[in-house]
Structures are given as C-alpha cells and as structure tokens.
Amino acid sequence: MALEAVLAAARQKELAGDLQGALTALEAAPEKERTGAWHYARGAMAVRAGKLDEAVAQLELAVQREPEIAEYRSNLGAALLEKVKAGDASVGPKALEQLELAVQWGATLPEVYANLSFARLVAGDALGALAAADIALRLDEKHVASLYNRAAALNVLKQYGTCIDTLDQLLKVSPGFPPAVQSRANTLEKMRKI
C-alpha cells in the first residue's frame, strides 16, 4: 500500500476514535516507505495513547529524516514538554532547543509558539515566554493555550492587572476553563495582598 493511502487510512480510523486501528493501519507501510511523515504520524498517535517515550523516539526519527519541517520539531518539543509535566524536568532543555529550532524553520501554527512559550516558562525565561505567546496570538487571537501561557508569563513578571485582562480574554473564548479560573482567583489573591 502506498504511503499516502496508509496515512489516510490511519487518519480516518483515528478520526473515528479507533486509535488502535490507526496504529495497525500505519504498520501496513513497508519499512522502506517509512518517511518522516510516517514517523510523525506514529509519534503523534503515541502521544495521544499516553506513550511518551515511544512518541519521543518516533518524533526524533521524523526530525532526523526531515529536519526542515517545523511541525515535526514542534511536536517533538511538545512531547518532551509532556514528559516535563509528568515530572521529568531533565528533558526541558531539549524541548526548548527543538522548539527554538522549529520557529527558525518558519513555523506558521500558533501551537508551535504556544509550546515555545511554555518551554521558555519552564526554563525561567518569562519575557521570552511572553514574546512567544504574543506571536502565537498574532496568528490566532483566540488560541487558548497561548492566552494561558501569556497570562502565566505576566504573572511571573508580576504584571497582575494585565494577567487578569488576559485571563478574562481567555475565559471569553473558553468559559469556565478550569486552569484559567484557578489562575484568575490566585492572581486576584496576590493583588489583594499587595
């Protein structure tokens, strides 16, 4: 089966909610046809299945095969950030490196900049995180993750009023978004103590 057909079949099964069927469809690709796109798809599905080590390995292969594709690097960085969230802080610098490279390769999706913003926050670079979130918001002014990361960076920078404004903007886009509701309450509490 041609690679395009394998990827299409996998995508169709994934959209239908059959992740295992999608993984099985991907395995139909002959070894010699497993391009960066194949490894990218395999890595993305591993992320959705919660298999972060496998996801990172597959996404690293995608980047090795096609290093100029920004979204492959972005998803590798995002998978590494998921490992950071799960408690493996040691991969934070690698996530940041991959995301910085992704933007150098001309990333055009707000998710890339949202991930970069979060990686910079993890690295302790709140100004850099704010800059990346602002770029993402120029691409999509209603991008929830970017709004949240922007608010987080503003909070670190002690710009509480602007942080609240950003959280309010986020809550207009995604009413009741639990992290934003909690962050807003926490920030208001900080402001009361000043």
Side-chain angles (χ1 to χ4, degrees), residues 175-188:
F177 182 63
V181 171
Q182 185 63 52
S183 292
R184 190 177 191 287
N186 293 344
T187 304
L188 287 172

Side-chain angles (χ1 to χ4, degrees), residues 1-4 6-7 28-39:
M1 185 182 284
L3 182 61
E4 294 80 23
V6 167
L7 293 173
E31 195 69 39
K32 65 180 185 249
E33 290 187 30
R34 294 183 179 184
T35 63
W38 185 90
H39 288 286

Side-chain angles (χ1 to χ4, degrees), residues 3 13 24-25 33 41 44 51 76 79 83 86 89 96 112 118 123 129 173 184-185 187-189:
L3 182 61
K13 289 193 178 291
T24 300
E33 290 187 30
K51 299 176 180 178
L76 173 55
K83 290 186 67 148
L96 179 59
V112 177
F118 182 70
V173 173
R184 190 177 191 287
T187 304
L188 287 172
E189 184 63 28

Side-chain angles (χ1 to χ4, degrees), residues 43-130:
M45 288 183 198
V47 168
R48 284 189 269 300
K51 299 176 180 178
L52 296 179
D53 290 334
E54 181 181 329
V56 168
Q58 291 296 328
L59 292 165
E60 284 175 336
L61 288 169
V63 168
Q64 286 173 9
R65 288 193 163 93
E66 299 178 62
E68 71 283 358
I69 299 181
E71 282 70 24
Y72 293 3
R73 287 187 186 278
S74 175
N75 280 292
L76 173 55
L80 289 164
L81 286 174
E82 288 302 316
K83 290 186 67 148
V84 169
K85 290 176 190 176
D88 185 358
S90 69
V91 298
K94 186 175 180 180
L96 179 59
E97 175 188 13
Q98 289 302 317
L99 291 160
E100 294 286 1
L101 288 168
V103 299
Q104 288 177 19
W105 281 103
T108 58
L109 299 174
E111 288 80 7
V112 177
Y113 292 96
N115 289 332
L116 177 58
S117 178
F118 182 70
R120 286 177 175 172
L121 274 172
V122 168
D125 178 10
L127 282 174
L130 181 61

Side-chain angles (χ1 to χ4, degrees), residues 88-178:
D88 185 358
S90 69
V91 298
K94 186 175 180 180
L96 179 59
E97 175 188 13
Q98 289 302 317
L99 291 160
E100 294 286 1
L101 288 168
V103 299
Q104 288 177 19
W105 281 103
T108 58
L109 299 174
E111 288 80 7
V112 177
Y113 292 96
N115 289 332
L116 177 58
S117 178
F118 182 70
R120 286 177 175 172
L121 274 172
V122 168
D125 178 10
L127 282 174
L130 181 61
D134 285 345
I135 292 169
L137 293 168
R138 283 195 293 274
L139 296 169
D140 178 357
E141 66 186 20
K142 295 180 179 182
H143 194 259
V144 171
S146 300
L147 286 164
Y148 188 75
N149 291 344
R150 182 176 198 277
L154 290 164
N155 192 313
V156 171
L157 295 168
K158 298 182 179 5
Q159 296 179 22
Y160 301 129
T162 309
C163 174
I164 291 291
D165 292 344
T166 301
L167 289 167
D168 288 345
Q169 184 181 357
L170 186 161
L171 289 167
K172 285 180 186 172
V173 173
S174 183
F177 182 63

